[in-house]
Amino acid sequence: MTAQSAHHDDRGLRQLHRVEITVAMNWVIRTCQEIIRDHSHQTCWVPTGTPTGTAPTTDDLIQSARTDVLSRLQRQIDGVEAIIGNAERERAQRNR
C-alpha cells in the first residue's frame, strides 16, 4: 500500500468513525426527547402506572424509573460506548 492510499484509507476511517459516533449520539438525544415527551409534565418526570389520585409507592417509582427512563437510556449509552470503543481500538491499531 502506498503512502497516499494509506492516507486516503485513514481519512475514510476517520470519517466513518465521525458518522457512526454522530448517529449514535443523535439516537441518545432522540431517546431523551421521547422520554421527555412521554414521561414528563412541565420538565418533571411523571412515573407511569400510578393510579390516578394516589401517591406512587417506592416500588412503583423504582419500576417506572427503570422502565420509562433508565433502561432506555442505558441501552443507548451502551451502544454509543461500544461504537466509541471500537473507534478507539481501530485508531490504536492504525497508529501502531
Side-chain angles (χ1 to χ4, degrees):
M1 182 181 300
T2 66
Q4 185 178 15
S5 101
H7 177 70
H8 177 72
D9 289 347
D10 191 44
R11 186 175 33 182
L13 187 61
R14 286 193 312 264
Q15 177 63 25
L16 175 65
H17 290 158
R18 284 193 297 271
V19 169
E20 287 177 333
I21 292 166
T22 299
V23 168
M25 287 304 300
N26 285 339
W27 277 108
V28 171
I29 298 301
R30 285 184 191 108
T31 299
C32 290
Q33 290 169 331
E34 288 174 10
I35 290 168
I36 290 167
R37 184 190 67 232
D38 297 341
H39 302 288
S40 71
H41 176 68
Q42 297 179 352
T43 69
C44 293
W45 171 54
V46 177
T48 58
T50 303
T52 305
T54 63
T57 66
T58 301
D59 289 339
D60 292 335
L61 290 174
I62 290 168
Q63 181 62 33
S64 184
R66 285 185 174 144
T67 303
D68 301 342
V69 180
L70 300 175
S71 295
R72 291 181 68 193
L73 283 176
Q74 192 62 57
R75 282 191 301 272
Q76 295 300 327
I77 291 167
D78 289 347
V80 173
E81 288 289 352
I83 288 167
I84 289 172
N86 186 51
E88 289 172 329
R89 282 187 298 281
E90 287 178 355
R91 291 179 65 200
Q93 287 175 342
R94 288 281 219 199
N95 292 331
R96 286 185 199 167

